[in-house]
Amino acid sequence: MERVVDGYRFSSDEDAKMAEEELQRVNYISEKLSEDDPKSVLLVYNKSIQSGIFTTPVGIDFLKSIQSYLRKNPQIDNEDIADIPIRISYADALILKQNKRYESLNTKEKNYRQPYMFSLLINVVLVIMVIAMFVIALKADNPNMLNYKTAILNEYSEWEQELKDREQAVREKESELGINP
């Protein structure tokens, strides 16, 4: 939805919709209003202010143009012309705007903090897994690229010990049987 109404850009769709409704009221009143009768214009103006039907800049501009017409008209006493009430606090709007900026900065900080913490946790888990893989590889019985030299030396040592044990058993058997080499 376009947020521009009668040359004003509104910050929300609701405000733009209110301004469009007020523009329709302005057009309706403008058609019915006769500038030839300043007293009826004053009556419509004061009734519009009392009822509060105009709150957006579109309606306020309309009221201001009628007010200017009435003040220039010598038939109307300026004291009979009501002042145009402004129903929003610009100071509050400024504070609200500053709070939104502050909140958006905090939100950005929080938005970066959560993925960072998640990433850090994943990295720690991965480092622990890599360390565990190295420990398992070093403790494994099967030769691998980390312990192949030790595994092969151990295997040859076992073979050598087994051969010596067999040789010793053969010599003992020969001596029992009285065979001398």
Side-chain angles (χ1 to χ4, degrees):
M1 178 179 194
E2 183 68 24
R3 292 183 175 175
V4 177
V5 178
D6 200 33
Y8 290 100
R9 182 178 307 277
F10 292 91
S11 61
S12 72
D13 292 335
E14 292 83 18
D15 291 343
K17 186 176 179 182
M18 284 176 55
E20 285 175 2
E21 290 170 0
E22 284 188 15
L23 185 58
Q24 290 173 356
R25 282 187 226 125
V26 164
N27 292 335
Y28 177 78
I29 292 172
S30 295
E31 289 174 6
K32 303 293 181 187
L33 204 57
S34 170
E35 292 186 5
D36 296 336
D37 185 12
K39 299 260 184 210
S40 66
V41 172
L42 177 65
L43 185 65
V44 169
Y45 170 80
N46 285 335
K47 186 69 174 167
S48 297
I49 288 180
Q50 286 173 355
S51 65
I53 61 171
F54 296 116
T55 57
T56 68
V58 173
I60 301 290
D61 269 356
F62 175 67
L63 290 175
K64 186 64 180 167
S65 66
I66 294 176
Q67 185 186 59
S68 296
Y69 163 77
L70 292 171
R71 288 196 178 175
K72 290 177 187 175
N73 194 309
Q75 296 177 7
I76 303 295
D77 186 14
N78 283 346
E79 292 189 17
D80 292 338
I81 304 170
D83 293 325
I84 301 171
I86 304 297
R87 291 184 170 82
I88 64 168
S89 169
Y90 290 103
D92 290 345
L94 180 62
I95 290 170
L96 181 64
K97 185 177 179 181
Q98 289 171 345
N99 286 342
K100 283 184 181 179
R101 282 186 191 159
Y102 179 73
E103 287 173 7
S104 70
L105 288 176
N106 284 345
T107 304
K108 287 179 185 176
E109 228 176 75
K110 289 177 187 174
N111 287 345
Y112 289 122
R113 174 169 267 149
Q114 186 177 9
Y116 172 76
M117 294 303 285
F118 181 72
S119 166
L120 185 64
L121 178 67
I122 295 296
N123 286 334
V124 167
V125 169
L126 290 175
V127 166
I128 290 172
M129 288 175 65
V130 168
I131 290 171
M133 287 174 25
F134 274 108
V135 168
I136 290 170
L138 288 173
K139 300 258 182 198
D141 292 334
N142 296 336
N144 56 45
M145 64 185 232
L146 296 175
N147 67 354
Y148 73 93
K149 183 177 178 183
T150 308
I152 291 173
L153 288 175
N154 287 343
E155 192 173 339
Y156 283 130
S157 296
E158 287 175 13
W159 287 350
E160 184 179 5
Q161 187 62 39
E162 189 179 317
L163 283 175
K164 284 182 182 179
D165 290 345
R166 282 188 182 181
E167 191 177 305
Q168 183 65 30
V170 170
R171 282 193 187 135
E172 287 176 5
K173 223 19 162 177
E174 285 178 346
S175 3
E176 279 179 23
L177 294 174
I179 305 174
N180 280 336

